[in-house]
Amino acid sequence: NGTEQILMTAPRSAVAIVLGKFLAALVVIAITELFTLIYFGIICYFKTPDIPTVLVTMFGFLITSMAYISLGMFISSLTENQIIAGIISIGFFIITWVLPEFNSSLESYSFINMFYKYTQGQIDIGDTVTFITFTITCLLLTAVVMQRRKSVK
């Protein structure tokens, strides 16, 4: 659509562009989570839910989404074609989802298995640090790729 050319010629740094795109996607996820509070209200009307478990699950979903968004952005920065970036991103998500089924020693690399702990109301500091570190790493790599692409053009 030509948006990459506009971004590359904009007087913004690559970091600002990457963070802007990441925060926009994160706001979409946050709005989605806010809409799920409607269901929470309905459940509260009929029965008293376990509020800490719900909040921990929402937090876990948010940081898992951050990791997936940042990886998708990084893969998108490596390729010119959006369809290829989407297929590679979805492929990575599926592979990490089914990876523990093939070998139990690979269970620690599955984001979904890390997220399951949050659904039980447990905040695992190691998994939280893993998600945040993975997110920051992918965002930094995306900014580096964008900066190199910007300096070439």
Side-chain angles (χ1 to χ4, degrees):
N1 292 340
T3 56
E4 183 182 19
Q5 292 174 352
I6 294 171
L7 288 175
M8 293 300 161
T9 58
R12 299 279 177 223
S13 68
V15 174
I17 293 169
V18 168
L19 287 179
K21 188 174 181 179
F22 175 74
L23 291 176
L26 197 58
V27 165
V28 171
I29 296 296
I31 290 171
T32 304
E33 279 195 334
L34 287 176
F35 279 125
T36 62
L37 292 178
I38 295 171
Y39 299 112
F40 183 70
I42 294 169
I43 292 171
C44 286
Y45 179 76
F46 291 108
K47 188 178 178 185
T48 305
D50 187 15
I51 294 174
T53 302
V54 171
L55 294 177
V56 168
T57 302
M58 291 179 79
F59 171 73
F61 180 75
L62 186 68
I63 63 172
T64 305
S65 299
M66 287 170 47
Y68 283 143
I69 290 168
S70 65
L71 179 72
M73 286 177 54
F74 174 60
I75 292 171
S76 177
S77 72
L78 293 176
T79 180
E80 297 282 332
N81 193 331
Q82 296 171 350
I83 295 172
I84 292 173
I87 290 171
I88 293 172
S89 297
I90 292 170
F92 177 82
F93 303 152
I94 291 172
I95 286 171
T96 59
W97 185 15
V98 299
L99 203 58
E101 302 297 324
F102 298 113
N103 191 345
S104 62
S105 65
L106 299 174
E107 189 170 306
S108 61
Y109 298 108
S110 175
F111 285 168
I112 296 298
N113 284 350
M114 290 183 208
F115 173 68
Y116 284 148
K117 295 175 190 171
Y118 292 96
T119 62
Q120 298 167 355
Q122 302 170 0
I123 296 179
D124 186 358
I125 299 299
D127 291 341
T128 304
V129 169
T130 299
F131 282 129
I132 292 172
T133 304
F134 185 82
T135 300
I136 292 170
T137 303
C138 285
L139 290 176
L140 288 174
L141 289 173
T142 304
V144 167
V145 170
M146 293 292 291
Q147 184 63 39
R148 285 192 174 187
R149 189 174 289 169
K150 194 172 187 176
S151 65
V152 170
K153 290 187 179 188

